[in-house]
Amino acid sequence: MSGCGGCKGCSPKGITSVKDAAYTVALAGNANVGKSATFNQLTGVDQIIGNWPGKTVERAEGLLVHKGHRIRVIDLPGIYSFSTYSMEELVSREFIALEHPDAVVNVIDASALERNLFFTIQLMELAPPLMIAVNQIDLAEKKGLTIDVEKLSSILGVPVVPTVAIRGKGISPLTDAILDLVHDRPVPPVLFYGREIEERIARIVSLLHPVSTPYPTRWTAIKLLERDPDMVRIVSVQDPSIVQEADRLAGEIEAIHGEPVSVVITAERYQIADRIAAEVITVQMPQDGPQKKSLTDKIDQIALHPILGYFGVVGVIGGLLVWTFLIGAPVSAFITSFLTQFEQYEPVITGPFTDILWNGVFTGFLAGVTLIIPYVLPFYLILAVIEDSGYLTRISVMLDRGMHKIGLHGKAIIPLILGYGCNVPAIYSCRIMESPKQKLLAAFLVTLVPCTARTVVILGLVAAFVNIWWALALYAFDILLILVVGRVAFKAVPGESVGLIMEMPDYHVPSLRVVLKQTWARTKSLIWVVFPAYIIGSAVLQGFYAAGLLDPVNALLAPITTLWLGLPAVVGITLIFGIVRKELTILTLAVIFGTTNFATIMSPVQLIVLALVSMLYIPCISAIFALASEFGWRRALAITGTEIVLAIVLGGLAYRALGLFM
C-alpha cells in the first residue's frame, strides 16, 4: 500500500488533521462490494466514525497520505441508486453534488458487473471526477469470469483499476490513479439513452439555462423527466413552466412505452449496463463438463431454503441469546463480585456529599463495565463475524416477508436480536434501516425487547417465586405486544417505508482485522453514552435518596402503584431506581424490605405485575440518551412517555385480570 494511512509519523496531530487535507475523495458503490475494505486499506487505522450532520446515517472518514499529498477519504453509504428513497441515497447525492469532492471512486463487484454498472451510469450523470475500482476480481475468476478492465475504461471514458481490497491487492495502483484524478479532475463523458428519451432531455436542457441549481444541467433534466420530487421542488421555485413542460414530455414517453417514465429510464440504464458488461466480460467454461456449483451456491441451498433456512436462522439467533443468558450473565456476576470489593475504600476527601458522590459514581461505573464487557463487546464481536462472513444478509432475506407486517424489512431483525443483550447498542444499530420512519419505528420496538437487565427482573421475581411458565408467558406476551404495537405505530408514524434491496455476497472466512475494527468502532461510540448516563444518573439518585426526597415520590405515585397496579407503595422508589438500571428494581426492593425472599412480601399476582411493568417501561437512562442522540430529545421523550403509559395501563389491566383466577 502506498498510503501511510495518516499514521502519527506523518501526521503529528493524528486523525484530526483530516481537516487540513488538500483533497477530498469519496468512495461510492453498492453495499457488500468491498467498499469498507477499500476504505480501510486507504486510510489505515486512524479513522473518524460519526454521523452526517443532522442525519442518523453513519459517516466514516480517514486520511490518506501519498507521495507527500494529504487526501481526505469519505466512505459514502452503500446504495444502489440516487432515487432519494432513503436517507443514505440523499446523503450520497448531496455530498457529491454540493460538496464537490475532488474525485469519486466507484467501487464495484467484478462478479456482479452489470448490476453494479447500473449505479455507475447514474454517477456519471452527476458528472464528478470519476474512476472505478473493480473489486473482488478473485471471486469473479472463481466463477469463470474475466474482466477486460482496459476495455471497460475505454468504453466508459474513466480510469479503471482492478483490486482485491480485502487482501490489499491493487491498492498501490489505486492510490496512484486517485492522485492523478484529483490533479486532472476530468468530467466523465455522456452515456446516451434511446432517441425518444434523448430528444426530450435535450428539450429540457434548453429550457434550464436561466435556472440555477447545484446539480449538472443534464442531471437536472433527467431528474425532472423522472419527476424526482427534490428536483421538481428546486426548479418550480424559479420557473414552474419548466416543471410543467418536463411533466408533459414524461407523459409522451409513457404513452410511447406504456410504462411509468421512471421504469423506462431504469430499463434504459440496465440495457446500457448489460451491453457494456457483455463487451468486457469473458466467460471461461470448464473443459470437463458443466461448471460445479460454488461453495456459496451449495450453502445457500440450505441457508435460503424455505424450510431448512429457518433452522439456520433460529440456530444463529439462539446462539446469540445463549451467550446472553448462559455465558454473559455469569461473567457479569464475576465482574460485579470482583469490583464491589473496592467499593469499601473511602474517597480521599470524606463527608456526606463526597460519600454520596462516590457511591453514585462507583455504582454507575460498575453498571457500565458489567454491561459493556460481558454483553456488548461479545455481542458486537459475534455480530461482526456473522456480518463479515456473508450470512447476516441471508438472515435478513429469510425474515423479510414477516417483518413487512410491521412496516420494516428483514434487516430489522439485527437490532431486535441485539436488543435481547442490550437496548442501547440495538438503538444505534437501527442506522442500518433505510428510511427515517423505519429507523424510528425499529428503535421504538427495540426498547420493548426485554434486555438482559429486564431478564434479571423477570427471572428474579417471577421465575424464582411464581414459576418458570409465567416467566415464559411474559416473554411470549412481549413478542405479541411488539407485533401489535409495531403494526399500530407503522400506521400512525408519518413517512415512507422502503423494501429490502440487498446484494448477496459470497461466503468467506471473516477477516480478523475487519471484525475487530468493526467491533471497536461500534463499541467506542456506545461507551461515550453509557458511562456518562450511568454515572451521572446514579449519583443524582443517590443524592435524592440521601436527602430523603424519594419519600414524597412514593406518596405522589401511590394512586398509580397501590390503587391501579395493586403494589406496595414503596415500589414507586424501586421503579424510579429502575430508570438508572433495571436490576436496581430488585436490589432496591431487597434493601427496603430487608429480604430477598420476595414471596413473603408480595403475592404471585403482584410479582407478575411488577415484572410486567418493569419489562415494558423505558429500559434505562442510557437508552433514553441513545434515543436522544439518534432522534432528538422530543422523540426520545415521546417514546419514553408512551412506554411508561403503556406499562402502567397494561400493568393495571393485568392486576385485575390475574386477580380473577390466581
Side-chain angles (χ1 to χ4, degrees):
M1 189 178 91
S2 297
C4 75
C7 61
K8 299 194 188 309
C10 299
S11 174
K13 295 182 181 180
I15 194 64
T16 56
S17 58
V18 158
K19 297 178 181 178
D20 303 325
Y23 304 104
T24 298
V25 173
L27 303 184
N30 297 174
N32 299 313
V33 296
K35 188 163 56 64
S36 295
T38 304
F39 173 74
N40 290 335
Q41 291 286 354
L42 291 174
T43 60
V45 177
D46 289 329
Q47 300 168 1
I48 298 174
I49 307 294
N51 283 1
W52 291 85
K55 308 288 192 302
T56 58
V57 178
E58 190 173 88
R59 172 184 180 134
E61 63 178 288
L63 184 69
L64 166 66
V65 180
H66 183 56
K67 295 182 178 178
H69 297 278
R70 308 171 70 78
I71 301 173
R72 176 189 180 210
V73 183
I74 305 289
D75 187 11
L76 296 177
I79 59 174
Y80 299 88
S81 72
F82 283 128
S83 57
T84 70
Y85 289 135
S86 72
M87 188 63 70
E88 285 82 357
E89 293 171 358
L90 182 62
V91 161
S92 298
R93 184 167 109 173
E94 288 185 347
F95 181 80
I96 294 174
L98 306 183
E99 300 295 329
H100 304 292
D102 298 287
V104 174
V105 180
N106 178 205
V107 183
I108 65 177
D109 181 0
S111 62
L113 193 63
E114 177 188 348
R115 190 160 35 195
N116 283 245
L117 286 174
F118 174 76
F119 179 63
T120 303
I121 293 167
Q122 295 177 74
L123 265 177
M124 295 180 69
E125 291 169 355
L126 203 49
L130 182 69
M131 67 172 295
I132 294 174
V134 184
N135 193 37
Q136 302 182 151
I137 286 286
D138 55 337
L139 296 181
E141 291 175 349
K142 288 180 180 179
K143 295 180 178 181
L145 305 177
T146 301
I147 312 295
D148 189 336
V149 294
E150 293 183 1
K151 191 171 185 179
L152 180 61
S153 176
S154 175
I155 293 173
L156 294 177
V158 299
V160 178
V161 178
T163 62
V164 182
I166 194 71
R167 299 178 185 174
K169 292 184 178 180
I171 298 301
S172 181
L174 179 64
T175 52
D176 288 334
I178 289 174
L179 198 57
D180 291 339
L181 191 63
V182 298
H183 285 155
D184 300 336
R185 295 181 60 85
V187 176
V190 174
L191 296 178
F192 293 101
Y193 296 114
R195 188 180 66 181
E196 73 277 8
I197 294 178
E198 284 298 333
E199 288 176 351
R200 287 160 179 82
I201 291 174
R203 169 63 181 159
I204 299 173
V205 168
S206 68
L207 298 174
L208 284 172
H209 291 302
V211 175
S212 174
T213 75
Y215 301 96
T217 304
R218 178 178 170 85
W219 164 276
T220 304
I222 294 172
K223 286 302 171 183
L224 286 175
L225 201 57
E226 290 181 310
R227 299 191 179 102
D228 181 271
D230 284 346
M231 210 56 59
V232 167
R233 176 180 51 79
I234 292 172
V235 176
S236 62
V237 171
Q238 302 180 57
D239 192 340
S241 65
I242 298 178
V243 175
Q244 294 171 2
E245 177 65 9
D247 186 64
R248 186 187 67 79
L249 295 172
E252 290 180 356
I253 294 176
E254 291 172 340
I256 294 172
H257 291 272
E259 291 182 306
V261 67
S262 60
V263 174
V264 175
I265 294 180
T266 295
E268 287 276 330
R269 290 186 180 123
Y270 270 119
Q271 191 174 34
I272 295 171
D274 185 39
R275 185 178 69 248
I276 295 172
E279 290 189 47
V280 302
I281 295 177
T282 302
V283 181
Q284 298 175 337
M285 297 300 294
Q287 301 296 321
D288 54 350
Q291 188 175 4
K292 295 181 179 179
K293 288 185 177 180
S294 66
L295 177 62
T296 291
D297 292 333
K298 291 178 180 178
I299 297 176
D300 277 346
Q301 284 183 320
I302 298 175
L304 298 177
H305 190 275
I307 297 175
L308 298 178
Y310 288 105
F311 285 98
V313 172
V314 171
V316 171
I317 295 176
L320 288 170
L321 296 183
V322 162
W323 174 272
T324 298
F325 295 117
L326 298 185
I327 302 177
V331 173
S332 178
F334 172 78
I335 295 173
T336 301
S337 175
F338 175 75
L339 291 180
T340 48
Q341 63 182 315
F342 298 102
E343 190 176 13
Q344 60 183 319
Y345 294 106
E346 297 292 335
V348 177
I349 302 175
T350 60
F353 177 77
T354 54
D355 289 343
I356 292 169
L357 187 62
W358 168 253
N359 290 332
V361 169
F362 185 86
T363 302
F365 173 77
L366 182 63
V369 170
T370 53
L371 168 68
I372 296 291
I373 294 177
Y375 298 116
V376 175
L377 266 176
F379 211 107
Y380 271 153
L381 189 65
I382 297 171
L383 193 65
V385 169
I386 298 171
E387 184 178 15
D388 196 44
S389 70
Y391 185 61
L392 194 57
T393 306
R394 273 75 178 179
I395 294 178
S396 300
V397 170
M398 289 299 296
L399 298 176
D400 185 49
R401 182 175 298 180
M403 299 303 292
H404 284 179
K405 301 297 183 182
I406 53 176
L408 300 173
H409 54 60
K411 284 198 287 186
I413 195 62
I414 299 168
L416 289 175
I417 294 172
L418 191 57
Y420 280 98
C422 176
N423 287 171
V424 178
I427 291 169
Y428 284 117
S429 70
C430 292
R431 295 173 180 176
I432 64 174
M433 306 304 294
E434 276 73 9
S435 73
K437 175 179 179 177
Q438 288 176 317
K439 286 185 176 72
L440 181 62
L441 182 57
F444 174 44
L445 297 183
V446 156
T447 57
L448 291 173
V449 174
C451 61
T452 305
R454 286 189 272 192
T455 295
V456 170
V457 177
I458 295 170
L459 298 181
L461 293 178
V462 179
F465 299 107
V466 184
N467 59 58
I468 188 63
W469 301 111
W470 276 107
L472 294 176
L474 286 177
Y475 277 101
F477 176 77
D478 185 78
I479 294 173
L480 178 62
L481 183 67
I482 288 173
L483 295 175
V484 173
V485 171
R487 187 64 183 173
V488 172
F490 169 57
K491 296 292 185 181
V493 176
E496 64 177 0
S497 294
V498 299
L500 177 65
I501 304 175
M502 296 183 72
E503 290 285 349
M504 298 288 278
D506 286 342
Y507 293 103
H508 60 271
V509 177
S511 164
L512 179 62
R513 185 171 180 269
V514 171
V515 167
L516 293 178
K517 186 180 291 291
Q518 186 82 317
T519 301
W520 173 239
R522 289 168 171 168
T523 306
K524 182 171 60 175
S525 61
L526 176 65
I527 289 173
W528 289 108
V529 172
V530 168
F531 278 98
Y534 274 155
I535 291 173
I536 295 172
S538 181
V540 169
L541 278 178
Q542 285 279 352
F544 282 1
Y545 182 74
L549 298 178
L550 293 183
D551 290 334
V553 173
N554 277 337
L556 183 65
L557 295 178
I560 296 175
T561 54
T562 60
L563 298 180
W564 175 247
L565 297 176
L567 299 173
V570 293
V571 166
I573 289 180
T574 68
L575 295 176
I576 295 294
F577 271 97
I579 295 177
V580 176
R581 191 181 182 190
K582 275 295 184 287
E583 298 98 320
L584 293 180
T585 302
I586 290 182
L587 295 177
T588 309
L589 203 63
V591 170
I592 290 173
F593 286 103
T595 179
T596 56
N597 186 1
F598 301 121
T600 62
I601 58 175
M602 284 190 284
S603 68
V605 171
Q606 289 177 316
L607 291 169
I608 294 172
V609 170
L610 178 56
L612 175 64
V613 172
S614 299
M615 180 179 73
L616 296 182
Y617 81 93
I618 197 70
C620 63
I621 194 170
S622 293
I624 299 174
F625 272 72
L627 288 170
S629 68
E630 291 293 282
F631 306 103
W633 278 105
R634 184 175 63 85
R635 289 180 173 176
L637 294 177
I639 292 175
T640 301
T642 299
E643 293 184 358
I644 290 174
V645 171
L646 185 67
I648 292 172
V649 170
L650 292 179
L653 294 176
Y655 172 66
R656 283 151 182 80
L658 293 172
L660 297 176
F661 58 90
M662 285 188 70

